[in-house]
Amino acid sequence: MSIDDYLAGLAGPLREIGEKLTPIIGAALPGATGAMWHGHPVWGLGDRPGQRPVCLVKAYGSYVTFGLWRGQEIDDRCGRLIPGARAMAAVKLHDLADVDPALFSGWLRAAAHLEEA
């Protein structure tokens, strides 16, 4: 299954969120590899998604999670990132208005910088 297949299989609002996120991710992480990993899309800086992963998109029943592997290390002045396991942090997106391209691009660039360091 490809990322496009995954997104196409989502219910309308969730698919729209995923389709809005993927170009933001692509623009902020131009050298990243995106692929399905553990059942959902993941983008990483290595040859395969599990190698130096940066972010993920995972749909649930009523929202999409946009997660950053080292999100807890990112300066999140707006306080939208919710800490998760290990160093991860994520934001739950319930509709298109929850996706802030400029904010998310900044998070992605910061996350990529952490992986490159």
Side-chain angles (χ1 to χ4, degrees), residues 2-26:
S2 70
I3 292 173
D4 289 339
D5 294 336
Y6 177 86
L7 296 176
L10 300 178
L14 302 179
R15 183 180 62 252
E16 292 171 1
I17 292 168
E19 289 173 346
K20 187 171 181 179
L21 284 170
T22 53
I24 295 168
I25 295 166

Side-chain angles (χ1 to χ4, degrees), residues 43-57:
W43 287 262
L45 298 182
D47 294 337
R48 24 183 238 292
Q51 182 180 14
R52 294 175 33 212
V54 175
C55 70
L56 65 91
V57 172

Side-chain angles (χ1 to χ4, degrees), residues 13-14 17-18 20-21 24 56-67 80 82 90-100 103-104 107:
L14 302 179
I17 292 168
K20 187 171 181 179
L21 284 170
I24 295 168
L56 65 91
V57 172
K58 186 171 183 179
Y60 292 90
S62 63
Y63 63 91
V64 173
T65 294
F66 173 64
R80 288 189 62 192
I82 300 165
V91 60
K92 292 181 181 180
L93 309 169
H94 296 274
D95 59 49
L96 284 176
D98 292 336
V99 179
D100 181 334
L103 177 64
F104 290 18
W107 287 343

